[in-house]
Amino acid sequence: TIGLILPNVENSAYVAVMEQFKANCEANGYEFMFQTAADDAAAVTAIESMVQAGCDAICSSASSARNDAFQAAADKGVLMCG
């Protein structure tokens, strides 16, 4: 399972990214998980939720406030991309 975290789905650019990301995951045999996170606290919660759900990899826009969450996920063997 590959997770994607974006700030919102009101922005058409984010919707396009999400749709293409989902299509690429499915075309290559991966399950797709998606969450929105409008701020750093929500992003940390989303990362933790995806790790708990068993994601193998998570892509999210990077922020220094998320470094601990990124590291904690990586320590559990989750590939992090941000």
Side-chain angles (χ1 to χ4, degrees):
T1 303
I2 300 177
L4 175 65
I5 303 169
L6 293 174
N8 63 62
V9 290
E10 287 80 38
N11 182 318
S12 62
Y14 291 143
V15 172
V17 167
M18 189 250 329
E19 289 173 348
Q20 187 62 53
F21 196 95
K22 180 181 180 189
N24 286 338
C25 285
E26 292 172 349
N28 288 286
Y30 293 99
E31 290 185 37
F32 173 73
M33 183 178 289
F34 176 73
Q35 291 190 30
T36 59
D39 57 33
D40 285 342
V44 168
T45 300
I47 290 167
E48 291 169 347
S49 172
M50 287 182 170
V51 169
Q52 192 74 350
C55 278
D56 301 295
I58 301 170
C59 294
S60 176
S61 55
S63 168
S64 60
R66 294 182 217 158
N67 286 346
D68 289 342
F70 268 55
Q71 189 60 54
D75 289 347
K76 292 181 180 178
V78 178
L79 177 65
M80 298 300 296
C81 172

